[in-house]
Amino acid sequence: MRAPIAVSFISAALGLMPAAPVLAQAADSFQGHPVDLRPRLNLDASAWREVVQDRVVATLYAEQESPEPAAGQAQVSRLLGPVLERLRGNAELEVQSAGYRTEPVWQKSRIVGWRTRGALQITGKPSESFNALVGELATTLNLQSVTYLLSRETRLAVEQELIAQAVKAFHEKADTATRALGFRGYEVREVSIGGSGPIEPMPVPKTMMMARAAGADEAVPLPGAEGRTTVTTTVSGSVVLLR
């Protein structure tokens, strides 16, 4: 069932334009730009909908310390290589590198070793199979974070659906303000339409991160925790008030 659509009136500002000085009015008219002395009302209105986040991003990494850089790099590659090979060609997943670095380990102002870290980012649709996959990979790699978000395609589609509601709210607000101010009507002069869909990261539960640190080798499915985010379409503009 589609989530209910909420409409909100954000703000309105009335600019009652004073009569322009005669000289300025004459100069404007001389240049071919007659002055519009009618009062103008600036306002905006929004429509929004809560939408289930339809993408999940898991970041896993391998880290190794060694006396020489090459040894740590080889070990990290041995851990990441099979994972990349297994995930390659899976049309339901997006897999990309999330960073690879080797840095010195310092102790009392001297280098005592080298730390190599390589990370992978796996993106897919929230599902039991995705949770099971991440839980299995977490037996050999460290699970850094899990983030739920709304895909760009879904956000744009919802914004398009909300345009009609936002425009209706704009007109309703203009009608109400016009009558309250004692004018008979209005004309729309300028209008702009914008939208937003905030992405709120959701960190992985601490119990999952601690399980790998404790050396647990048994695969534990990642608990599903996808949430909702709000998509908003806003109509802003100005209307001329008619006496």
Side-chain angles (χ1 to χ4, degrees):
M1 182 176 65
R2 173 175 293 181
I5 296 173
V7 175
S8 171
F9 295 151
I10 301 176
S11 64
L14 175 64
L16 294 176
M17 301 176 60
V22 176
L23 291 179
Q25 186 176 14
D28 243 3
S29 298
F30 180 77
Q31 296 175 7
H33 301 285
V35 177
D36 189 348
L37 300 179
R38 295 177 297 177
R40 180 173 296 190
L41 179 69
N42 300 319
L43 66 157
D44 49 46
S46 296
W48 72 82
R49 181 186 302 161
E50 285 191 348
V51 184
V52 175
Q53 294 165 318
D54 60 349
R55 303 296 284 174
V56 56
V57 183
T59 303
L60 302 103
Y61 70 95
E63 188 172 86
Q64 184 70 31
E65 289 190 17
S66 58
E68 298 296 331
Q73 292 168 0
Q75 180 62 23
V76 168
S77 296
R78 281 194 291 269
L79 291 172
L80 295 179
V83 175
L84 284 172
E85 186 63 29
R86 175 182 175 180
L87 299 178
R88 182 177 289 114
N90 190 328
E92 298 180 354
L93 300 175
E94 300 174 17
V95 182
Q96 66 182 56
S97 173
Y100 191 101
R101 68 175 184 269
T102 299
E103 56 189 10
V105 178
W106 294 87
Q107 185 176 344
K108 295 182 179 180
S109 302
R110 57 187 291 267
I111 297 176
V112 296
W114 296 86
R115 181 183 297 110
T116 299
R117 187 181 190 277
L120 300 176
Q121 192 175 81
I122 306 172
T123 304
K125 293 183 178 180
S127 63
E128 292 184 2
S129 60
F130 186 92
N131 295 342
L133 172 64
V134 172
E136 181 180 345
L137 296 179
T139 62
T140 55
L141 301 178
N142 297 290
L143 181 57
Q144 174 178 311
S145 64
V146 174
T147 302
Y148 290 87
L149 51 85
L150 187 67
S151 66
R152 182 174 181 272
E153 294 78 12
T154 300
R155 177 176 61 81
L156 292 176
V158 174
E159 285 179 354
Q160 291 294 318
E161 294 175 3
L162 293 175
I163 289 177
Q165 282 75 34
V167 170
K168 180 181 178 182
F170 182 89
H171 282 293
E172 290 176 349
K173 187 173 185 180
D175 287 335
T176 301
T178 298
R179 290 194 301 269
L181 292 168
F183 292 87
R184 65 176 177 83
Y186 66 90
E187 292 179 356
V188 177
R189 296 302 299 269
E190 297 177 357
V191 174
S192 62
I193 299 177
S196 64
I199 298 175
E200 298 293 338
M202 182 174 294
V204 62
K206 291 184 178 179
T207 53
M208 281 297 295
M209 299 183 70
M210 293 172 60
R212 180 69 185 105
D217 294 327
E218 184 179 354
V220 179
L222 177 73
E226 65 270 19
R228 291 175 175 267
T229 189
T230 301
V231 177
T232 304
T233 296
T234 300
V235 176
S236 303
S238 64
V239 299
V240 172
L241 301 177
L242 306 177
R243 299 184 185 278

